[in-house]
Amino acid sequence: MFRLGPLPRRPGCLIPRGSHFRTPPSLGLGRPSHSAAPHISRTAPTRIPPFVPASSHLLPRRTRLFVYVGVALAGIYLVDSNFNYSTLTRTLRTLRTALIITTDYKMNFKQNKSSEELSLLHSRNADRLVALCTENGGLYQKIGQAIAMQSALLPTEFREKFALFFSETPQASLAEIKQVLREEYPHLKDPIKELFEEGSFSQRALGSASIAQVHKAKLRGGTGGWVAVKIQKPGISRQVGWDLWVFRFCMETFSQRFFGIPLSFITPYICDRLQSETDFRGEAANAEMIRELILEEFGKDGKVPGGAGGRVYVPKIYHEYSTRRIMVSEWIDGVLLSSRKAITDPHNPGARTNNLAAGTGRNYLPANTSGLGISSHEVMRCLLTLFSQMMFSWGHVHCDPHPGNILIRRVPGAGSTPQIVLLDHGLYIHLPPTLRKQYARLWTALMSLDTQTVSEITTEWGFGNAEMVASMTMLRPWRGDVGVDLAVGEDGQELTPYERQLRMKEAMSKALSDEGKVPQELVFLGRCMRILQANNQLLLSPVNRLKLLATAASLSLTPGGANYAYPFQDPLSVSNFASSISPRVSFFLQGYLRHVAFRITIFVLDLGFWFTRVRQWVFGGKGFEDELEERMKRIAKEEWGVEIGGGMFEG
């Protein structure tokens, strides 16, 4: 009898495992079997499960979720980077950095920490802020500059790290600049070729700032003049809303809630000013306004005339070519205010200059000159006269007068007479008449030692510490009758750095007795004053800044001045005069005594200035502003519990 092997199994087959098929005898394939009925296995049949694709079980469910989230995040990142100028990425980076810094200070700024440990704490967090502002760019560069200008009130580590924000920022590529031009001039196929003479548009920017860069070009057509084309960097208009929202959030959350420093009340005003800088139409309007004020005020008597042959000049704006993100203005060649040697070196038409700063198109001297041959005293006197008019008379103040925005040149056809060229009119504040008058009265009261008026004005402004406000206004120590020693404890022992910084925070909180009354314009007014002081230091303090500003403030309060207000009605009326003769006599007598005290203070201050100036000429060394800064450091440490850093533009 033949015997076959196991049959192959197919899906759904019911043949038992291991069974064999026995051939029936009737088929005649062998001899009949004498055994009983054929044996059939009793094993239970096994049903094959239906076919299922293996890929559905390749990854666990949780892993698949992670993959989906990762792909989605990668897509968001690519869209944000390529189509949204990394706006979302910048925001998350800022929030992460703010959280890390806050946590670090909360965990490590403690009583038991040594001076070295606190210094390391400040240093690493300054590094984090510098890295954030540098990597994010745009408005964060301006925030970095703002921190650098106030770093005198911050730990020394911040001053050293943030000094780099006064150097030039990275440029946008020519391709990106062309794209901005096409977006702003949609009716032109190739704006560079159609607006400017062939080959005249500089391929690289001759100056680059935080939100814009400047190219030099020559206009086509009848004008044919060289112009400065200020072009906003790509992405700024889209980033500014998010950046300022994050700034508001961080100021409110971290400074107010975590550190207890009441600064959030000024945040909206700061954001409004920064937002206005991104619209160049406002800058063009500011330039025209200040140009007209200079011509109207100084063009009559020739003191600081504002015409092309005058002592102050504002470049002409070409409004027909200017838009929200592009401003075209007259190109002016000159020397940066910071280039003291190039300004003061003798003028020698027969020699070539060696004073050009490489790579700075604005630091320009004619090819056959060695210097401008201009007195630094005349330059600073003219600059401070201009800004004192802005603050005490006009009420429209240019708040960014750093050396990169001020050019010096010789007045055309006027020999060695200096001319100041004022650039970059994006950041202005406008002082209401009441605030302008109060500010002038404050300066006059400070110089006449009128502590009652100083306390009255600072109280009206919502401040509780008149001495601190007075000292920060003049950027020199000022003592009244409200001083408190914050450098020593109740037991007379010198405080530790940790205790001094806590005292400083408490003093700042107490100084703001009523936040709602504080004039928010004072933030940028203080910024302007700080930069003017630094400019004077750069030129080795050639003028007495305090005397010039205080005298201008006093003159604005005299009859004919912008802030003069006679307290009595109808001064020529005999009846009115007879009925109020006593108050009138008192008014004039008090005014006369204040003026005498003012003149005495100015005289003593001038003696100190000239003593320092002569000593500087004979022996070299520090100037008058440096002496004031040293005294300011000492008073700040003794009475405010804080160590003030060095000059603004150091590093």
Side-chain angles (χ1 to χ4, degrees), residues 632-648:
M632 189 77 171
K633 290 180 184 179
R634 185 173 64 254
I635 297 299
K637 183 175 180 179
E638 293 174 356
E639 299 192 6
W640 305 341
V642 64
E643 294 188 12
I644 293 181
M648 177 180 295

Side-chain angles (χ1 to χ4, degrees), residues 392-438:
F392 302 122
S393 295
W394 303 336
H396 306 292
V397 187
H398 186 305
C399 291
D400 202 12
H402 68 78
N405 288 337
I406 299 173
L407 299 181
I408 310 299
R409 67 174 182 174
R410 296 163 72 96
V411 174
S416 62
T417 304
Q419 184 181 74
I420 290 176
V421 181
L422 196 59
L423 308 175
D424 196 351
H425 301 268
L427 184 57
Y428 269 65
I429 60 171
H430 308 284
L431 305 179
T434 301
L435 177 59
R436 188 184 65 203
K437 181 179 178 180
Q438 287 176 326

Side-chain angles (χ1 to χ4, degrees), residues 148 151 156 158-167 530 534 537-538 622 626 629-630 633 645-651:
S151 62
T156 306
F158 281 81
R159 171 176 57 87
E160 295 171 350
K161 305 287 185 181
F162 277 83
L164 63 88
F165 284 102
F166 289 107
S167 56
R530 181 71 181 104
Q537 286 178 288
L538 283 176
K622 298 179 179 180
D626 301 302
E629 188 173 66
E630 290 298 325
K633 290 180 184 179
M648 177 180 295
F649 303 125
E650 286 184 0

Side-chain angles (χ1 to χ4, degrees), residues 406-471:
I406 299 173
L407 299 181
I408 310 299
R409 67 174 182 174
R410 296 163 72 96
V411 174
S416 62
T417 304
Q419 184 181 74
I420 290 176
V421 181
L422 196 59
L423 308 175
D424 196 351
H425 301 268
L427 184 57
Y428 269 65
I429 60 171
H430 308 284
L431 305 179
T434 301
L435 177 59
R436 188 184 65 203
K437 181 179 178 180
Q438 287 176 326
Y439 196 61
R441 288 180 60 216
L442 177 64
W443 268 86
T444 306
L446 291 172
M447 299 305 291
S448 58
L449 305 179
D450 185 357
T451 57
Q452 180 179 351
T453 300
V454 172
S455 297
E456 173 191 329
I457 293 174
T458 53
T459 301
E460 290 177 3
W461 286 352
F463 292 106
N465 189 331
E467 278 194 351
M468 181 181 290
V469 176
S471 298

Side-chain angles (χ1 to χ4, degrees), residues 346-573:
H347 184 68
N348 184 3
R352 295 184 65 85
T353 180
N354 293 320
N355 296 323
L356 292 178
T360 57
R362 284 296 191 178
N363 198 23
Y364 169 85
L365 286 174
N368 293 323
T369 61
S370 58
L372 294 179
I374 291 176
S375 165
S376 59
H377 175 274
E378 286 298 312
V379 170
M380 278 309 302
R381 187 190 66 80
C382 183
L383 183 64
L384 289 173
T385 301
L386 172 65
F387 274 83
S388 63
Q389 284 294 118
M390 291 182 181
M391 289 183 282
F392 302 122
S393 295
W394 303 336
H396 306 292
V397 187
H398 186 305
C399 291
D400 202 12
H402 68 78
N405 288 337
I406 299 173
L407 299 181
I408 310 299
R409 67 174 182 174
R410 296 163 72 96
V411 174
S416 62
T417 304
Q419 184 181 74
I420 290 176
V421 181
L422 196 59
L423 308 175
D424 196 351
H425 301 268
L427 184 57
Y428 269 65
I429 60 171
H430 308 284
L431 305 179
T434 301
L435 177 59
R436 188 184 65 203
K437 181 179 178 180
Q438 287 176 326
Y439 196 61
R441 288 180 60 216
L442 177 64
W443 268 86
T444 306
L446 291 172
M447 299 305 291
S448 58
L449 305 179
D450 185 357
T451 57
Q452 180 179 351
T453 300
V454 172
S455 297
E456 173 191 329
I457 293 174
T458 53
T459 301
E460 290 177 3
W461 286 352
F463 292 106
N465 189 331
E467 278 194 351
M468 181 181 290
V469 176
S471 298
M472 297 309 297
T473 298
M474 302 179 70
L475 297 173
R476 58 151 291 189
W478 190 88
R479 293 177 179 271
D481 53 3
V482 291
V484 178
D485 193 347
L486 298 179
V488 297
E490 296 179 357
D491 56 358
Q493 297 295 321
E494 186 174 353
L495 298 177
T496 64
Y498 170 81
E499 292 170 332
R500 284 202 304 270
Q501 292 181 42
L502 282 184
R503 286 284 187 93
M504 175 59 184
K505 186 176 75 170
E506 293 173 3
M508 289 183 62
S509 298
K510 292 179 180 178
L512 294 171
S513 59
D514 191 344
E515 300 172 12
K517 293 182 179 179
V518 177
Q520 298 181 347
E521 294 86 354
L522 294 179
V523 175
F524 289 99
L525 203 54
R527 166 195 169 102
C528 178
M529 281 292 188
R530 181 71 181 104
I531 299 177
L532 289 175
Q533 182 197 37
N535 288 340
N536 200 24
Q537 286 178 288
L538 283 176
L539 297 182
L540 303 182
S541 307
V543 299
N544 188 343
R545 172 183 59 89
L546 297 176
K547 174 186 175 181
L548 289 174
L549 293 173
T551 302
S554 179
L555 288 174
S556 73
L557 294 167
T558 59
N563 298 312
Y564 178 72
Y566 193 72
F568 306 104
Q569 297 294 326
D570 194 7
L572 299 180
S573 171

